[in-house]
Amino acid sequence: MGQEPFDEFYLREYPRVVGLLQGLLRSRLVAEELAQETFLVAYRDWARVGGLDNPRAWVRKVALNQRGSFLRAYLRQQTRERNSVVQYADDTIKLSDDHAEVWEAIRTLPPSQAQVIALHYYEDYSIAQIAVALGRAPGTIKAQLHQGRRKLARLLGTGPDRRST
Amino acid sequence: MNFYDDHRAAETALDHRLYAAGNALREGSATQVDATSALRVILLHADPVPEEPEQQPAPSPSSPATSLLRRPQRRLVLAVNLLLVLVLALGVGFLIGVQRGQDIGGHLTPVPTARPGPAVPSTTHAAVTQTVTSVPQQCVETAELADEVISRLNRNVRDERLFLALRDYTIASQACRRQASP
């Protein structure tokens, strides 16, 4: 099977990766910046990346793993640029209050758990797929998913001990 | 309902809520994120790494080497050449200026700053080429702001920060001109 053209891959995957990063970071501007950086890496090496078994997983792995360094660089740049960071009310993908509350809770989780939760519920990835995408053992992913869900149940008030009925 | 049923129901409710939030964000990103413009930025401003030599067709011996370069690479080579010519011209111009200054000033050394040198004899003072070695702070700031504006335009970040940077640039630029003009 031939390699998929970069632009087709990009048009399909870019919004998804932006959504994933926005779910974990809140800021859409930062999410778009990081997604763009990630796809730039893919574009420059598309001859190799496009030929991988699963370029989708590769892009997500790069986006999530390099999120920290990109974010630090981004914030450094903002500081250098005369502290002109402006927080906008509309710097997010619009969601209903209930869904926004869920993502807000996910963002309070430790990064490894938040990544697993996001890939599972946003990308519909199975535990095996998450393990491949993040380069961790399936057992670790299972444990992180369990711990993340338990914390979310507490945060969102959907745990058995918090239910009113 | 016993504890286990209660627990299972809570787990299911949490699952539903998480999947619903995931779907909502996915749909939101699909409808609200403009991938086409972002793709244009990548294609315009980034050059892909050239493919491995064995994957490229072998060049014919008669074809010139430049024909192997892609269009953006050719543009880059042209820009570098132009830059080199400009630097060379500036260097030559500077040397000629220094030489003329020395010729006119005779044995006198040129004054290093823009300030008038009181010790220089009045007969040769007017013709000596003066070199300005200090730049007003406003001009330095103007250059920094211009860098910032260019950086934002390159990254297609056209939001309020670009507007603020442009506004600051305009103010700094006017201040620079006021400071620099006699």
Side-chain angles (χ1 to χ4, degrees):
Chain A
M1 200 174 71
Q3 186 174 307
E4 183 180 21
F6 174 80
D7 50 357
E8 282 177 22
F9 175 79
Y10 183 93
L11 291 173
R12 191 185 62 245
E13 297 298 330
Y14 175 76
R16 293 283 292 256
V17 174
V18 171
L20 176 66
L21 290 169
Q22 130 103 46
L24 295 170
L25 292 166
R26 178 191 287 167
S27 166
R28 177 178 165 175
L29 272 180
V30 178
E32 292 211 25
E33 184 109 349
L34 300 187
Q36 191 78 330
E37 291 282 352
T38 301
F39 278 92
L40 194 59
V41 174
Y43 177 62
R44 288 188 168 140
D45 198 13
W46 186 243
R48 185 182 67 81
V49 175
L52 294 174
D53 286 343
N54 194 347
R56 291 184 71 224
W58 184 90
V59 163
R60 278 148 184 80
K61 183 176 183 176
V62 171
L64 292 174
N65 284 352
Q66 297 193 355
R67 178 173 65 118
S69 57
F70 277 147
L71 192 57
R72 279 192 295 277
Y74 182 85
L75 291 175
R76 262 205 311 276
Q77 185 188 20
Q78 292 298 339
T79 312
R80 227 181 18 244
E81 290 174 0
R82 309 176 75 246
N83 297 319
S84 59
V85 182
V86 181
Q87 289 296 328
Y88 303 105
D90 61 345
D91 179 23
T92 54
I93 292 170
K94 301 282 176 297
L95 295 174
S96 70
D97 288 348
D98 184 51
H99 297 147
E101 187 195 4
V102 170
W103 283 106
E104 199 66 48
I106 290 172
R107 282 192 284 272
T108 64
L109 297 177
S112 56
Q113 291 173 18
Q115 288 171 2
V116 171
I117 291 280
L119 285 175
H120 188 63
Y121 290 100
Y122 174 81
E123 295 284 5
D124 279 336
Y125 274 20
S126 66
I127 285 175
Q129 285 172 315
I130 299 171
V132 170
L134 295 182
R136 298 177 200 155
T140 310
I141 300 296
K142 209 169 177 178
Q144 287 170 337
L145 187 62
H146 177 72
Q147 289 158 1
R149 280 171 48 86
R150 216 170 50 187
K151 281 183 193 160
L152 285 176
R154 251 198 332 269
L155 288 167
L156 297 169
T158 50
D161 51 334
R162 296 291 181 97
R163 298 178 77 219
S164 54
T165 53
Chain B
M1 217 171 3
N2 63 27
F3 172 78
Y4 294 106
D5 290 338
D6 198 24
H7 186 77
R8 192 181 291 272
E11 290 272 299
T12 310
L14 177 64
D15 256 348
H16 282 159
R17 215 172 154 191
L18 289 170
Y19 276 123
N23 285 338
L25 183 57
R26 204 162 52 227
E27 284 163 18
S29 63
T31 54
Q32 296 173 41
V33 175
D34 179 12
T36 315
S37 309
L39 174 62
R40 217 173 296 133
V41 172
I42 280 203
L43 296 182
L44 272 177
H45 297 290
D47 293 333
V49 169
E51 290 172 11
E52 296 295 319
E54 62 267 17
Q55 291 171 338
Q56 291 183 344
S60 65
S62 61
S63 67
T66 50
S67 68
L68 292 174
L69 297 174
R70 292 171 188 198
R71 204 169 163 189
Q73 286 172 323
R74 276 205 298 268
R75 234 179 279 152
L76 183 68
V77 169
L78 185 66
V80 169
N81 284 340
L82 281 174
L83 196 66
L84 281 175
V85 168
L86 187 67
V87 168
L88 200 64
L90 282 174
V92 169
F94 177 75
L95 285 176
I96 290 172
V98 168
Q99 185 68 42
R100 283 179 66 187
Q102 280 173 349
D103 289 345
I104 294 167
H107 64 278
L108 293 172
T109 52
V111 180
T113 64
R115 285 186 226 103
V120 179
S122 61
T123 50
T124 56
H125 172 65
V128 171
T129 303
Q130 294 179 334
T131 309
V132 177
T133 55
S134 66
V135 176
Q137 180 57 35
Q138 288 88 339
C139 299
V140 175
E141 195 180 349
T142 304
E144 284 171 358
L145 284 163
D147 286 345
E148 182 185 335
V149 169
I150 290 166
S151 154
R152 289 196 184 286
L153 287 173
N154 271 341
R155 287 179 289 127
N156 205 25
V157 180
R158 293 164 188 275
D159 53 23
E160 197 173 343
R161 286 171 297 172
L162 175 64
F163 160 73
L164 290 172
L166 270 171
R167 187 198 60 190
D168 291 350
Y169 166 79
T170 309
I171 293 167
S173 162
Q174 285 165 355
C176 165
R177 286 196 189 118
R178 271 199 305 273
Q179 187 74 20
S181 56

Coordinates of all heavy atoms in Angstrom, one line a residue, chain B residues 55-94:
Chain B
Q55 N 16.7 6.9 -2.8 CA 15.3 6.9 -3.2 C 15.0 7.9 -4.3 O 14.0 7.9 -4.9 CB 14.4 7.4 -2.0 CG 14.4 6.3 -0.9 CD 13.7 6.8 0.3 OE1 13.7 8.0 0.6 NE2 13.3 5.9 1.2
Q56 N 16.0 8.8 -4.6 CA 15.9 9.7 -5.7 C 16.4 9.2 -7.0 O 17.3 8.3 -7.0 CB 16.7 11.0 -5.4 CG 16.1 11.8 -4.2 CD 16.9 13.0 -3.9 OE1 18.0 13.2 -4.4 NE2 16.3 13.9 -3.2
P57 N 15.8 9.6 -8.1 CA 16.3 9.2 -9.4 C 17.7 9.7 -9.6 O 18.0 10.8 -9.2 CB 15.3 9.8 -10.4 CG 14.6 10.9 -9.6 CD 14.6 10.5 -8.2
A58 N 18.5 8.9 -10.2 CA 19.9 9.3 -10.5 C 19.9 10.5 -11.4 O 19.2 10.5 -12.5 CB 20.7 8.2 -11.1
P59 N 20.7 11.6 -11.1 CA 20.7 12.7 -12.0 C 21.5 12.4 -13.3 O 22.5 11.6 -13.3 CB 21.4 13.8 -11.2 CG 22.3 13.0 -10.2 CD 21.5 11.7 -10.0
S60 N 21.0 12.9 -14.4 CA 21.7 12.7 -15.6 C 23.0 13.6 -15.6 O 23.0 14.7 -15.0 CB 20.9 13.1 -16.8 OG 20.6 14.5 -16.7
P61 N 24.1 13.1 -16.2 CA 25.4 13.8 -16.1 C 25.3 15.2 -16.7 O 26.0 16.1 -16.2 CB 26.3 12.9 -16.9 CG 25.6 11.6 -17.1 CD 24.2 11.9 -17.0
S62 N 24.4 15.4 -17.6 CA 24.4 16.7 -18.3 C 23.6 17.7 -17.5 O 23.7 18.9 -17.7 CB 23.8 16.6 -19.7 OG 22.5 16.1 -19.6
S63 N 22.7 17.2 -16.6 CA 21.8 18.2 -15.9 C 22.6 19.0 -14.9 O 23.4 18.4 -14.2 CB 20.7 17.5 -15.2 OG 21.2 16.7 -14.2
P64 N 22.3 20.3 -14.8 CA 23.1 21.1 -13.8 C 22.7 20.7 -12.4 O 21.6 20.3 -12.1 CB 22.6 22.5 -14.1 CG 21.3 22.4 -14.8 CD 21.4 21.1 -15.5
A65 N 23.7 20.9 -11.5 CA 23.4 20.5 -10.1 C 22.2 21.3 -9.5 O 21.5 20.8 -8.6 CB 24.7 20.8 -9.2
T66 N 22.0 22.5 -9.9 CA 21.0 23.3 -9.3 C 19.6 22.8 -9.6 O 18.7 23.0 -8.9 CB 21.1 24.8 -9.8 OG1 21.1 24.7 -11.2 CG2 22.2 25.5 -9.2
S67 N 19.5 22.0 -10.7 CA 18.2 21.5 -11.0 C 17.7 20.5 -10.0 O 16.5 20.2 -9.9 CB 18.2 20.9 -12.4 OG 19.0 19.8 -12.4
L68 N 18.6 20.0 -9.2 CA 18.2 19.0 -8.2 C 17.6 19.7 -7.0 O 16.9 19.1 -6.2 CB 19.5 18.2 -7.7 CG 20.1 17.3 -8.7 CD1 21.3 16.7 -8.2 CD2 19.1 16.2 -9.1
L69 N 17.9 21.0 -6.8 CA 17.3 21.7 -5.7 C 15.9 21.9 -5.9 O 15.4 22.3 -7.0 CB 18.1 23.0 -5.5 CG 19.5 22.9 -5.2 CD1 20.1 24.3 -5.2 CD2 19.8 22.2 -3.9
R70 N 15.1 21.8 -4.8 CA 13.7 22.1 -4.9 C 13.6 23.6 -4.9 O 14.5 24.4 -4.6 CB 13.0 21.5 -3.7 CG 13.0 20.0 -3.8 CD 12.4 19.4 -2.6 NE 12.6 18.0 -2.7 CZ 12.0 17.2 -1.9 NH1 11.1 17.6 -1.0 NH2 12.2 15.9 -2.0
R71 N 12.3 24.1 -5.2 CA 12.1 25.5 -5.4 C 12.4 26.3 -4.1 O 13.1 27.3 -4.2 CB 10.7 25.7 -5.8 CG 10.5 27.0 -6.5 CD 9.1 27.0 -7.1 NE 8.8 28.4 -7.5 CZ 7.6 28.7 -7.8 NH1 6.6 27.8 -7.9 NH2 7.3 30.0 -8.2
P72 N 11.9 25.8 -2.9 CA 12.3 26.6 -1.7 C 13.8 26.6 -1.4 O 14.3 27.6 -1.0 CB 11.5 25.8 -0.6 CG 10.5 25.0 -1.3 CD 11.1 24.7 -2.6
Q73 N 14.5 25.5 -1.8 CA 15.9 25.5 -1.5 C 16.6 26.5 -2.5 O 17.5 27.2 -2.1 CB 16.4 24.1 -1.8 CG 16.1 23.1 -0.7 CD 16.4 21.7 -1.0 OE1 16.3 21.3 -2.2 NE2 16.9 20.9 -0.1
R74 N 16.1 26.5 -3.7 CA 16.7 27.5 -4.7 C 16.5 28.9 -4.1 O 17.4 29.8 -4.2 CB 16.0 27.3 -6.0 CG 16.7 26.2 -6.9 CD 16.4 26.5 -8.3 NE 15.0 26.5 -8.7 CZ 14.3 25.5 -9.1 NH1 14.9 24.3 -9.2 NH2 13.0 25.6 -9.4
R75 N 15.3 29.1 -3.6 CA 15.0 30.5 -3.0 C 16.0 30.8 -1.9 O 16.5 31.9 -1.7 CB 13.6 30.5 -2.5 CG 12.8 31.7 -3.2 CD 11.4 31.7 -2.7 NE 10.6 30.7 -3.4 CZ 9.5 30.2 -2.9 NH1 9.1 30.4 -1.7 NH2 8.8 29.4 -3.7
L76 N 16.2 29.8 -1.1 CA 17.1 30.0 0.1 C 18.5 30.3 -0.4 O 19.2 31.2 0.1 CB 17.1 28.7 1.0 CG 17.9 28.8 2.2 CD1 17.3 29.7 3.2 CD2 18.1 27.4 2.9
V77 N 19.0 29.5 -1.4 CA 20.3 29.7 -1.9 C 20.4 31.2 -2.5 O 21.4 31.9 -2.2 CB 20.7 28.7 -3.0 CG1 21.9 29.1 -3.8 CG2 20.8 27.3 -2.4
L78 N 19.4 31.6 -3.2 CA 19.4 32.9 -3.7 C 19.4 34.0 -2.6 O 20.2 35.0 -2.7 CB 18.1 33.1 -4.6 CG 18.0 34.4 -5.3 CD1 19.0 34.5 -6.4 CD2 16.6 34.6 -5.9
A79 N 18.7 33.7 -1.6 CA 18.6 34.7 -0.4 C 20.0 34.8 0.2 O 20.5 35.9 0.6 CB 17.6 34.3 0.6
V80 N 20.6 33.6 0.4 CA 22.0 33.6 1.0 C 23.0 34.3 0.2 O 23.8 35.1 0.7 CB 22.4 32.1 1.3 CG1 23.9 32.1 1.7 CG2 21.6 31.5 2.4
N81 N 22.9 34.1 -1.2 CA 23.8 34.8 -2.1 C 23.6 36.3 -2.0 O 24.6 37.1 -1.9 CB 23.6 34.3 -3.5 CG 24.2 33.0 -3.7 OD1 25.1 32.6 -3.0 ND2 23.7 32.3 -4.7
L82 N 22.4 36.7 -2.0 CA 22.1 38.2 -1.9 C 22.6 38.8 -0.6 O 23.2 39.9 -0.6 CB 20.6 38.4 -2.0 CG 20.0 38.3 -3.4 CD1 18.5 38.4 -3.4 CD2 20.5 39.5 -4.3
L83 N 22.4 38.0 0.4 CA 22.9 38.5 1.7 C 24.4 38.6 1.7 O 25.0 39.6 2.2 CB 22.5 37.4 2.8 CG 22.6 38.0 4.2 CD1 21.6 39.0 4.5 CD2 22.3 36.8 5.2
L84 N 25.1 37.6 1.1 CA 26.6 37.7 1.0 C 27.0 38.9 0.3 O 28.0 39.6 0.6 CB 27.1 36.4 0.4 CG 27.2 35.2 1.3 CD1 27.6 34.0 0.5 CD2 28.2 35.4 2.5
V85 N 26.3 39.2 -0.9 CA 26.7 40.3 -1.7 C 26.5 41.6 -0.9 O 27.3 42.5 -0.9 CB 25.8 40.3 -3.0 CG1 25.9 41.7 -3.7 CG2 26.2 39.2 -3.9
L86 N 25.4 41.7 -0.2 CA 25.1 42.9 0.6 C 26.2 43.1 1.7 O 26.7 44.2 1.9 CB 23.7 42.7 1.3 CG 23.2 43.9 2.0 CD1 22.9 45.0 1.1 CD2 21.9 43.5 2.8
V87 N 26.5 42.0 2.4 CA 27.5 42.1 3.4 C 28.9 42.6 2.8 O 29.6 43.4 3.4 CB 27.7 40.7 4.1 CG1 29.0 40.7 5.0 CG2 26.5 40.5 5.0
L88 N 29.2 42.0 1.7 CA 30.4 42.4 1.0 C 30.4 43.8 0.6 O 31.4 44.6 0.8 CB 30.6 41.5 -0.3 CG 32.0 41.4 -0.9 CD1 32.9 40.7 0.1 CD2 31.9 40.6 -2.2
A89 N 29.3 44.3 0.0 CA 29.2 45.7 -0.4 C 29.3 46.6 0.8 O 30.0 47.6 0.8 CB 27.8 45.9 -1.1
L90 N 28.7 46.2 1.9 CA 28.8 47.1 3.1 C 30.2 47.1 3.6 O 30.7 48.2 4.0 CB 27.9 46.5 4.2 CG 26.4 46.8 4.1 CD1 25.6 46.0 5.2 CD2 26.1 48.3 4.3
G91 N 30.9 46.0 3.6 CA 32.3 45.9 4.0 C 33.2 46.8 3.2 O 34.0 47.6 3.7
V92 N 33.0 46.7 1.9 CA 33.8 47.5 0.9 C 33.5 49.0 1.2 O 34.4 49.8 1.2 CB 33.5 47.1 -0.5 CG1 34.1 48.1 -1.5 CG2 34.0 45.7 -0.8
G93 N 32.2 49.3 1.3 CA 31.8 50.7 1.5 C 32.4 51.2 2.8 O 32.9 52.3 2.9
F94 N 32.4 50.4 3.9 CA 33.0 50.8 5.1 C 34.5 51.1 5.0 O 35.0 52.1 5.5 CB 32.7 49.7 6.2 CG 33.3 50.0 7.5 CD1 32.8 50.9 8.4 CD2 34.5 49.3 7.9 CE1 33.3 51.2 9.6 CE2 35.1 49.6 9.1 CZ 34.5 50.5 10.0

